[in-house]
Amino acid sequence: MEFLASLLAPDFFAAVFRAFVPVCFAALGGLITRRAGILNMALEAMMLWSALLGVIFSGYSKVWFPDLPDVACLLIGMVAGILAGLLVSSILAFFSLKLRANNILVGIALNNMADGGSCYLMFLLLETQSNTETLTSFQFPAVNIPLIQDIPVIGPILSGHNLMFYLAVLAVILVYIFIFKTPTGLRIRAVGENPDAAESVGIKVLNIKTMAVLLSGFVTAFGGMYFSMGYMNFFSRNMTAGRGFIALAAMNLSNANPIGTFFASMLFGFCDGIGTRLSTLGAFSTDLIKAIPYAVTMLALILYAIIRARKINKIKSAR
């Protein structure tokens, strides 16, 4: 009973939201490319480089310009993180769209390069391959929502979280509007569903796909920056810990729908929070607890595949 009661505590929801944020941003980034007919396997690389360069430029901007306000240093780091995401997405677009290389292989290569390259860059700048704790970075602030923060029970749950959490929720709404309510979103969906038909009505397929990949890098960058400038204030080696692949699973689980992606990402966050709570009991192996979110994600994908297969079979039998 004590364990169940702890699941209603504000700090439990804070743990859920912490795990939700990076997965949600990356899943939305993967959703945009998926709607354009591209499977983005480089989400991990986008987050890693954004997390590292955001910290480096945020920290060094204060070293180079001591009189610069902290907010300005934070904004410089944010711009650097976004540009890092755009750079990785540009490389992905160049090789997979311009040179027509296999986008899955290009994505895997970029992920491997990000893992080793981020460590090498840390060594060049800070003479360490583990983390950037010696470099002072700046974090996105926590936000207290007026009126809501004063509501008993609900207030502590919904208010007082990192700014990135609220941006992630806003991003879900904006991506939904962009994909389903704008002419550009319609072109992206048309290209993803039937590129030949889209091209026949004058849509430039290559330009639309390139734009989708760049937008993916832009959105995913916020997920990376949350690791090193939201949840923590430093970068550590491979700190994304496979969240890019979990984001792909969340996106596929929702069938590339922003609202469904929100709930799928929240499911991962909930499972991660459960794991954190179980670890405090000390009754289970730490490695087993860490595997809970990933195991639940796999089970959810299997269940989704079974349900989808049954629906397809019903449609075929009806014909």
Side-chain angles (χ1 to χ4, degrees), residues 169-239:
V169 176
L170 178 62
V172 171
I173 299 172
L174 293 178
V175 170
Y176 178 85
I177 294 173
F178 173 71
I179 293 295
F180 294 105
K181 304 295 181 181
T182 66
T184 304
L186 177 61
R187 293 187 182 95
I188 289 176
R189 287 185 286 129
V191 167
E193 292 175 7
N194 194 327
D196 293 331
E199 192 168 16
S200 68
V201 295
I203 297 176
K204 296 182 179 179
V205 173
L206 181 61
N207 291 350
I208 292 295
K209 287 190 174 185
T210 301
M211 181 187 66
V213 174
L214 292 177
L215 284 174
S216 176
F218 175 83
V219 176
T220 304
F222 286 90
M225 287 186 288
Y226 175 75
F227 280 108
S228 59
M229 300 172 65
Y231 177 47
M232 299 180 182
N233 64 346
F234 62 90
F235 176 87
S236 63
R237 179 175 183 176
N238 195 28
M239 70 187 312

Side-chain angles (χ1 to χ4, degrees), residues 43-60:
L43 297 176
E44 194 84 0
M46 293 175 183
M47 287 198 290
L48 274 174
W49 284 118
S50 297
L52 175 59
L53 293 182
V55 164
I56 288 176
F57 277 86
S58 173
Y60 273 115

Side-chain angles (χ1 to χ4, degrees), residues 23-187:
V23 173
C24 182
F25 275 121
L28 290 174
L31 181 152
I32 295 172
T33 54
R34 167 72 182 279
R35 284 290 177 176
I38 302 169
L39 181 61
N40 188 349
M41 292 293 292
L43 297 176
E44 194 84 0
M46 293 175 183
M47 287 198 290
L48 274 174
W49 284 118
S50 297
L52 175 59
L53 293 182
V55 164
I56 288 176
F57 277 86
S58 173
Y60 273 115
S61 60
K62 193 66 174 180
V63 175
W64 295 330
F65 309 102
D67 298 329
L68 202 65
D70 293 352
V71 174
C73 296
L74 178 63
L75 290 176
I76 290 173
M78 185 178 72
V79 171
I82 292 172
L83 291 177
L86 290 174
L87 177 60
V88 176
S89 61
S90 298
I91 296 173
L92 176 64
F94 177 75
F95 280 98
S96 62
L97 298 178
K98 185 70 174 178
L99 301 184
R100 298 185 180 276
N102 186 290
N103 64 290
I104 295 178
L105 295 180
V106 173
I108 293 174
L110 288 172
N111 290 338
N112 291 334
M113 289 176 61
D115 185 20
S118 59
C119 295
Y120 181 65
L121 183 58
M122 273 195 296
F123 180 77
L124 288 179
L125 297 176
L126 304 171
E127 296 185 352
T128 177
Q129 297 183 27
S130 56
N131 58 62
T132 61
E133 288 189 27
T134 56
L135 181 65
T136 303
S137 182
F138 298 91
Q139 291 178 278
F140 291 95
V143 176
N144 291 311
I145 305 175
L147 299 180
I148 293 180
Q149 64 177 340
D150 299 324
I151 301 175
V153 182
I154 297 178
I157 292 176
L158 297 181
S159 180
H161 300 291
N162 190 275
L163 174 64
M164 282 292 204
F165 167 71
Y166 302 105
L167 290 179
V169 176
L170 178 62
V172 171
I173 299 172
L174 293 178
V175 170
Y176 178 85
I177 294 173
F178 173 71
I179 293 295
F180 294 105
K181 304 295 181 181
T182 66
T184 304
L186 177 61
R187 293 187 182 95

Side-chain angles (χ1 to χ4, degrees), residues 4-23:
L4 294 177
S6 69
L7 299 184
L8 299 177
D11 60 335
F12 170 74
F13 286 94
V16 171
F17 297 156
R18 280 197 300 268
F20 156 81
V21 171
V23 173

